[in-house]
Amino acid sequence: MNAGGPTRHAVWLAEGLRARGWETMLAAGPPVPGEDDLRCLARERRVEVRDVPALSRRVRAGADVAAVAEVVRLIRDFDPTILHTHTSKAGAVGRVAAAIVNASRRTGQRVARVHTFHGHVLEGYFSPLAERAVRAAEAGLGRFATEAAIALTESQRHELVGRFRVCDSGSTHVVPLGLDLQPFERPPSREPLRGEWKAAPGDFLVGIVGRIAPVKDHELFLEAAARLRARLATARFVVVGGGDGVEPLRRRAAALGLGEAVVFAGTRFDLPQVYTALDAVALSSRNEGTPLSLLEAMAAGKPIVATDVGGVRDLLTREWRGGVFQRVFQDSEKPRGLLVPAGDAEGLAGNLGALAASPGLAAELAATGRAYAFRFHTLERLFSDLDELYRRLIG
């Protein structure tokens, strides 16, 4: 239940699918030290969370075996028709536990296993040797312990099926993210948070929103911030998110000479206020599925500059129509955001500078993104897609 898009997605599903006739149980392990816990969101949505104390993102053989045993007990107690897992470790533990339960049942209902790849750890997380082991394990799970795999975009599906070969094409489905858009319908005042972050009315305030972890490459964001600040004295920056990497980032910001031009705001739950206060949103990740922060930025009507990784290109240059992503970006059209290569600090800085210099471009991107988010990424659409998939699985 660490602060992040997959946790919020799982809570929304646990709540929303109940209204469509499904009885749901949400089970989760504790966040690692230094991470924020989103059980408060579950309480707000009246979703009970069953604890799996041994389940952790970190690889620990003894604890992982204990986590499998705990989930086996939960499955036997709750007797679900479907087990739907999110994130890599929970996906492995949950699907192995369901396989054990299914193997023990000579008669009766077998548990159908669904796994959503919000992102993946198939590249960029481990050494080459460990990476090969992770891919082999994921391929085994996909072949022997998964009835349906869910990718968030068409690009991600191609990666999972074609490039990494960890999923079968026939059982891999694209179900784009949905989010709670109601808080974004009426933008709140910009001034309170801009005042808190010492941003003057004429300042160009750029934010990056999300947990602080190596794969998010906040150092790239800070390097781009320093370059933009050298060209644009009114540029200011805010890092919204928690994690055990905050202090090294503070030191890096100081070394880059950013000083008071960057604010580390920690984890915030008033996200509509956060986005409203910003003039642009950046994403510097090395690897992504569909970043919830970008969908929120679009819903809030903010222009985006993001690294071209994972499903980001689909989100910013394609639309979800008729069950497939269709390319709508042509030379004569404007996308919903600007893309730069992963690791390109100069490109990130340059495109943010372009938004600052061209309010018309920024407004056009913002309006296009907002309309897209409200049309294609509602929770109701997400619930309908999954309800249909679940019912197909159980016949």
Side-chain angles (χ1 to χ4, degrees):
M1 295 297 291
N2 63 304
T7 298
R8 295 163 66 195
H9 179 89
V11 171
W12 287 332
L13 288 183
E15 177 195 33
L17 289 170
R18 289 190 307 223
R20 293 179 175 268
W22 297 93
E23 182 183 359
T24 64
M25 172 199 286
L26 178 58
V32 299
E35 288 188 325
D36 295 294
D37 195 318
L38 279 192
R39 278 175 171 77
C40 58
L41 175 64
R43 289 192 295 270
E44 177 186 315
R45 297 281 178 159
R46 298 182 180 178
V47 172
E48 180 185 359
V49 180
R50 296 286 291 268
D51 289 326
V52 184
L55 179 59
S56 170
R57 185 186 306 130
R58 294 171 176 167
V59 177
R60 298 176 299 174
D64 294 343
V65 170
V68 170
E70 289 171 7
V71 177
V72 165
R73 286 193 291 270
L74 283 179
I75 292 172
R76 287 177 172 157
D77 176 54
F78 188 61
D79 194 21
T81 307
I82 291 171
L83 176 80
H84 191 159
T85 55
H86 304 265
T87 75
S88 298
K89 173 59 80 66
V93 166
R95 286 178 285 173
V96 168
I100 292 171
V101 173
N102 285 344
S104 70
R105 290 179 172 175
R106 300 192 178 189
T107 61
Q109 176 70 49
R110 291 171 61 85
V111 182
R113 294 150 295 186
V114 179
H115 179 67
T116 292
F117 288 87
H118 291 267
H120 59 69
V121 294
L122 304 173
E123 183 178 57
Y125 279 80
F126 306 108
S127 68
L129 181 62
E131 206 168 77
R132 285 195 293 272
V134 168
R135 291 181 190 179
E138 194 62 65
L141 288 168
R143 180 175 298 179
F144 301 111
T146 308
E147 278 67 47
I150 293 176
L152 303 181
T153 69
E154 198 68 42
S155 293
Q156 188 186 37
R157 183 182 185 277
H158 287 319
E159 275 194 335
L160 297 171
V161 172
R163 182 181 173 198
F164 297 118
R165 299 181 181 180
V166 297
C167 295
D168 177 72
S169 61
S171 61
T172 305
H173 311 266
V174 177
V175 180
L177 280 182
L179 70 157
D180 184 3
L181 294 171
Q182 188 275 329
F184 296 94
E185 289 178 353
R186 295 178 179 273
S189 171
R190 284 164 54 88
E191 302 314 315
L193 273 187
R194 287 182 71 90
E196 179 182 328
W197 293 334
K198 297 181 173 58
D203 286 346
F204 184 71
L205 185 60
V206 181
I208 183 169
V209 182
R211 66 186 178 90
I212 294 175
V215 73
K216 302 298 183 180
D217 204 356
H218 283 77
E219 288 196 4
L220 177 68
F221 173 75
L222 293 179
E223 185 177 341
R227 295 183 184 212
L228 179 59
R229 177 76 174 176
R231 304 166 194 168
L232 183 66
T234 57
R236 294 187 62 84
F237 310 91
V238 59
V239 177
V240 179
D244 55 9
V246 174
E247 288 309 312
L249 283 181
R250 289 184 190 274
R251 293 192 292 270
R252 180 60 179 155
L256 288 167
L258 287 167
E260 294 185 355
V262 61
V263 173
F264 290 87
T267 299
R268 304 282 305 215
F269 297 102
D270 53 344
L271 291 174
Q273 287 81 3
V274 166
Y275 288 104
T276 298
L278 302 174
D279 295 300
V281 172
L283 181 132
S284 53
S285 299
R286 302 169 188 164
N287 187 3
E288 283 286 356
T290 296
L292 194 57
S293 64
L294 295 193
L295 274 175
E296 291 167 337
M298 294 162 71
K302 298 299 168 180
I304 293 165
V305 180
T307 47
D308 186 4
V309 294
V312 174
R313 175 174 290 269
D314 285 330
L315 186 62
L316 298 184
T317 67
R318 298 179 183 178
E319 287 191 357
W320 179 247
R321 294 176 177 172
V324 295
F325 275 96
Q326 297 181 354
R327 183 178 292 279
V328 297
F329 175 49
Q330 304 294 336
D331 291 342
S332 60
E333 297 174 333
K334 297 294 183 184
R336 295 179 290 273
L338 303 179
L339 294 169
V340 301
D344 186 358
E346 180 58 33
L348 194 59
N351 278 284
L352 288 169
L355 293 179
S358 179
L361 171 62
E364 186 173 2
L365 293 175
T368 304
R370 180 173 167 84
Y372 170 79
F374 274 85
R375 183 177 178 188
F376 292 107
H377 289 277
T378 65
L379 284 181
E380 280 306 306
R381 194 234 76 235
L382 173 65
F383 299 153
S384 294
D385 286 354
L386 285 178
D387 180 68
E388 180 182 347
L389 175 60
Y390 287 175
R391 294 184 190 279
R392 289 205 310 267
L393 283 177
I394 64 177

